[in-house]
Amino acid sequence: MSRGDEDRFVELVAADPTVRAVLERAPALGLDDWWLTAGVLFQTVWNALTGRPAGTGIRDADCFYFDPDTSWAAEDAVIRAGADLFADLPVPVEMRNEARVHLWYERKFGVPAAPFRDCADAIDHFAAVCCCYGIRVGGGGAVEVYAPHGYDDLFALIVRPNPRLAPRHVYEAKAARWVEEWPELTVLPWPEQPSR
């Protein structure tokens, strides 16, 4: 992974007004481990690479944070603060405490999830490799990027499964929606289980 790829990624996502607004404002929430992640990032890159207007196909902006207080009341307070802070943006900014995911994941997706260690661990478990990006503004205003799989698939418009946690049907449903919006994508199939 080259520094040039990371610089290109930052330039493309920071050109999007929603991404820029979240990066500028989120530090005001006072969260220690927070990352803007997922669709608002990789779909912003896809829009730039395919010549689509900013915001095309983007339904929300996921802002992860990690707080060992797994009470609903604590997360709800952050959700409300985020809703106020980002109220004027064209898509909702969804604040989610990744320390709580294991409490509801099986109910929503049908498979159990072990507790995440931090936000990077949560990002590592997205259903597709192209989703596994995080960006934030750290101490002193420096932009930090988390990209565990690099940028090759992202810049080549490849959707590759990441079968660490999400079940096959989740990956396939997401990929089907994405290819409708961005037909230039190449969607790779879910890996078949080895025969016994």
Side-chain angles (χ1 to χ4, degrees):
M1 171 170 31
S2 77
R3 180 71 190 172
D5 287 342
E6 182 174 298
D7 290 345
R8 181 183 181 201
F9 172 78
V10 171
E11 180 181 347
L12 291 175
V13 298
D16 181 86
T18 298
V19 171
R20 205 167 47 249
V22 175
L23 292 178
E24 289 168 358
R25 299 178 198 176
L29 293 169
L31 304 169
D32 289 331
D33 180 12
W34 70 270
W35 295 87
L36 181 61
T37 188
V40 74
L41 300 180
F42 67 86
Q43 293 166 5
T44 292
V45 171
W46 291 348
N47 285 336
L49 296 178
T50 61
R52 287 174 171 77
T56 299
I58 296 173
R59 296 179 174 180
D60 59 32
D62 292 306
C63 192
F64 285 6
Y65 70 97
F66 196 89
D67 181 351
D69 181 346
T70 59
S71 70
W72 166 244
E75 184 178 38
D76 188 52
V78 174
I79 290 170
R80 288 173 189 271
D84 290 344
L85 187 61
F86 304 118
D88 62 317
L89 298 184
V91 295
V93 177
E94 297 196 351
M95 307 296 302
R96 293 293 178 264
N97 182 5
E98 295 306 295
R100 294 189 78 247
V101 170
H102 66 284
L103 301 175
W104 53 259
Y105 194 91
E106 185 172 13
R107 190 169 54 251
K108 183 169 182 179
F109 295 111
V111 295
F116 294 135
R117 296 182 308 276
D118 53 26
C119 284
D121 189 26
I123 292 169
D124 290 343
H125 284 80
F126 276 126
V129 167
C130 64
C131 304
C132 298
Y133 293 95
I135 189 170
R136 67 181 175 185
V137 176
V143 172
E144 299 174 19
V145 175
Y146 182 64
H149 302 286
Y151 301 93
D152 291 349
D153 281 0
L154 181 64
F155 293 149
L157 302 173
I158 292 171
V159 177
R160 181 184 311 273
N162 181 30
R164 290 186 67 173
L165 174 60
R168 177 179 187 158
H169 73 274
V170 170
Y171 169 76
E172 290 177 346
K174 287 179 179 292
R177 182 182 84 77
W178 297 336
V179 84
E180 280 184 23
E181 191 74 54
W182 297 275
E184 300 89 344
L185 296 173
T186 299
V187 176
L188 302 182
W190 189 263
E192 295 302 323
Q193 296 297 324
S195 55
R196 296 182 184 228

